[in-house]
Amino acid sequence: MKSYLFYDLETSGLNKSFDQILQFAAIRTDMHLKELERYNIVVSLRPDVVPSPMATITHRIGIEKCMEGICEYEAVRHIHALMNREGTISLGYNTLGFDDEFLRFAFHRNLLPPYTHQWANGCSRMDLLPITVLYHLYKPEGLTWPRLEDGRSTLKLEKLSQANALAEGQAHDALVDVEATLALARRFMAEGKMWEYVAGSFNKKEDALRLAKLPVRHESSAGQHAWGIMTGSRFGAEAAYQAPVLAIGESLPYKNQTLWLRLDDEALINGEGAVEERVWVIRKRMGEPNVILPPLDRFVSRLTPERLAQVEENLAWLKAHPDEFARIIRHHREFRYPEIPNLDADTCLYQNGFLSKAEEALCAKFHRAGPDAMAEAMQAMAPGHVRELATRILFRNYPEFSDEEVFEAFETFMARVHPQGEEPPMVDFRGDARLTPAAAMEEIARVRAEVSLDEEQGQLLDELEGYLSSNF
């Protein structure tokens, strides 16, 4: 049976590889958005995680509250089962922009299949933020749309919830945010045809069919190039959350990515540096944001005369400079993300690729073993990142079952978490540094100096500072 699983995460920070879930909340509904079940899981802080001070004062989950939760391994296994239940459509507010990838790394770190919730057993994903963008632009009468003090519109869930009384309770509590997201979806579903159209944007086949119908606007040595109006929050209120784009082909190393050149970008003609590096090219996967609409008058007319003029100027430039356009296409079609040497096991999901069948079987045996027999199951694994992750599951979640190898691995890893002297911090697959205890202490001081804190937030920072001092 098909069902929606509306969910939200509160996390120790924003790094998808190194931070962890602190709270997972979800409401499962039928296809008419009638509630069936709800879940609220608090996750215990791992001994190696350094919580972000800004995240702490935002979601207000302190150290003491964290320690009341269940261990990460058991929580993530439960979440994985919920999202992989047959026919589940998982969605939330900006989940494809943040939460889904965060979960993917949590699944990877705990030796669970990281992608099955996207396609297996009739499962799929949606995201209410890009849907909200479309309703804001083309069906605004169903909601009160909040604005910031400077007059700009905002699509933040917290502001939408306040303006429309979507949910009661503290924003950035995962369950409150899920309730607000579900209430928002019910408002949208009341507009039947519109909901059916936007939901179709998250179906790979439907999305591909729609894009195949876009009209050709330019021709080059690479072929014919269709165009459309891409919508998405990334373009910002100043651009009315949309931009005209030109198809320039598909990525060669990443077969699931199509490439779109932003047509109203002044940098194409007037920017500095190599043309292939200064242009704004957007990568889009089928069935995922951003949504691209056909260039019909009712959509194109939302662009200002100045932006439309820039489109025409850029198209004329592409026609007059075919060699430069060919360079743009070739550069972006051939682009590969740089490989990072000595990438840590927690963050090697994309670089190492899929597990072998033999590795999957060993992981399944590890999961069946239970805490008291996990060390023995870990010993059956060959040296490598899978065995390393199994070792970390033990010292992060079940130190009482750890053997000598696990204890030594814990000591070695914690030395990397808390580097001394000139030793650099670990970096993730994007090259971003793992938050160290020393950096967190510096951030606490900066937050206290620059942010207006209420009493509870001040106490949370005191608690965090004491935790870091005594545990690292």
Side-chain angles (χ1 to χ4, degrees), residues 406-464:
V406 174
F407 180 76
E408 290 178 359
F410 175 68
E411 293 288 303
T412 301
F413 185 68
M414 290 302 287
R416 295 176 63 206
V417 169
H418 190 18
Q420 303 297 309
E422 299 299 316
E423 185 180 355
M426 287 185 278
V427 296
D428 67 7
F429 65 103
R430 289 193 174 96
D432 294 332
R434 194 187 204 273
L435 183 65
T436 64
M441 285 293 205
E442 292 176 3
E443 187 180 336
I444 289 173
R446 186 169 59 253
V447 169
R448 283 185 173 138
E450 298 176 359
V451 179
S452 178
L453 303 172
D454 59 34
E455 183 178 356
E456 182 187 32
Q457 290 173 319
Q459 291 173 351
L460 288 169
L461 290 183
D462 290 342
E463 186 182 27
L464 176 57

Side-chain angles (χ1 to χ4, degrees), residues 137 230 232 235-243 262 264 302-303 307:
L137 292 172
M230 181 177 283
F235 300 121
E238 298 84 354
Y241 305 110
Q242 56 191 333
R262 184 165 175 175
D264 61 344
R302 296 299 186 98
L303 303 176
R307 294 174 74 188

Side-chain angles (χ1 to χ4, degrees), residues 157-158 160-162 164-171 175-184 187:
L157 180 62
E158 177 182 0
L160 283 167
S161 184
Q162 291 172 353
N164 294 276
L166 298 177
E168 296 182 359
Q170 177 188 300
L175 188 55
V176 173
D177 287 351
V178 171
E179 290 174 341
T181 303
L182 175 54
L184 190 60
R187 298 278 189 99

Side-chain angles (χ1 to χ4, degrees), residues 44-275:
S44 179
L45 186 66
R46 299 195 329 249
D48 60 297
V49 168
V50 179
S52 157
M54 279 303 299
T56 299
I57 65 171
T58 299
H59 54 54
R60 299 173 185 260
I61 302 175
I63 300 298
E64 185 177 347
K65 183 176 180 180
C66 285
M67 297 312 181
E68 298 173 357
I70 62 175
C71 69
E72 183 193 55
Y73 176 68
E74 293 174 11
V76 170
R77 289 191 71 182
H78 187 191
I79 294 165
H80 190 268
L82 291 174
M83 300 191 78
N84 281 273
R85 185 183 298 181
E86 184 177 1
T88 295
I89 303 170
S90 55
L91 74 164
Y93 202 82
N94 195 33
T95 41
L96 295 185
F98 177 76
D99 306 68
D100 187 81
E101 190 172 30
F102 204 102
L103 282 172
R104 201 179 303 156
F105 275 94
F107 296 156
H108 157 77
R109 186 168 58 245
N110 289 281
L111 297 179
L112 297 164
Y115 298 105
T116 49
H117 68 289
Q118 300 179 197
W119 60 271
N121 299 317
C123 295
S124 60
R125 304 170 300 159
M126 291 173 60
D127 188 336
L128 215 66
L129 176 55
I131 291 174
T132 302
V133 169
L134 288 168
Y135 275 83
H136 173 68
L137 292 172
Y138 302 110
K139 201 74 174 176
E141 58 270 19
L143 286 176
T144 298
W145 298 96
R147 292 189 174 273
L148 301 174
E149 291 181 1
D150 60 9
R152 289 180 299 135
S153 64
T154 176
L155 299 181
K156 288 185 176 296
L157 180 62
E158 177 182 0
K159 300 296 185 183
L160 283 167
S161 184
Q162 291 172 353
N164 294 276
L166 298 177
E168 296 182 359
Q170 177 188 300
H172 302 292
D173 176 275
L175 188 55
V176 173
D177 287 351
V178 171
E179 290 174 341
T181 303
L182 175 54
L184 190 60
R186 286 170 173 155
R187 298 278 189 99
F188 293 157
M189 186 177 275
E191 304 288 345
K193 289 185 178 180
M194 178 83 167
W195 177 263
E196 291 175 10
Y197 180 86
V198 295
S201 299
F202 297 93
N203 180 291
K204 290 183 178 181
K205 291 183 179 179
E206 181 64 28
D207 196 23
L209 287 172
R210 292 175 183 177
L211 296 183
K213 295 177 181 178
L214 295 176
V216 172
R217 186 65 196 274
H218 186 74
E219 295 188 16
S220 75
S221 58
Q224 295 182 323
H225 304 277
W227 80 302
I229 306 298
M230 181 177 283
T231 64
S233 59
R234 66 186 300 176
F235 300 121
E238 298 84 354
Y241 305 110
Q242 56 191 333
V245 291
L246 188 73
I248 61 171
E250 298 179 355
S251 168
L252 296 176
Y254 311 108
K255 299 300 183 183
N256 61 343
Q257 294 183 358
T258 59
L259 307 172
W260 300 82
L261 175 67
R262 184 165 175 175
L263 280 176
D264 61 344
D265 186 4
E266 294 180 1
L268 175 63
I269 299 174
N270 302 318
E272 297 180 356
V275 66

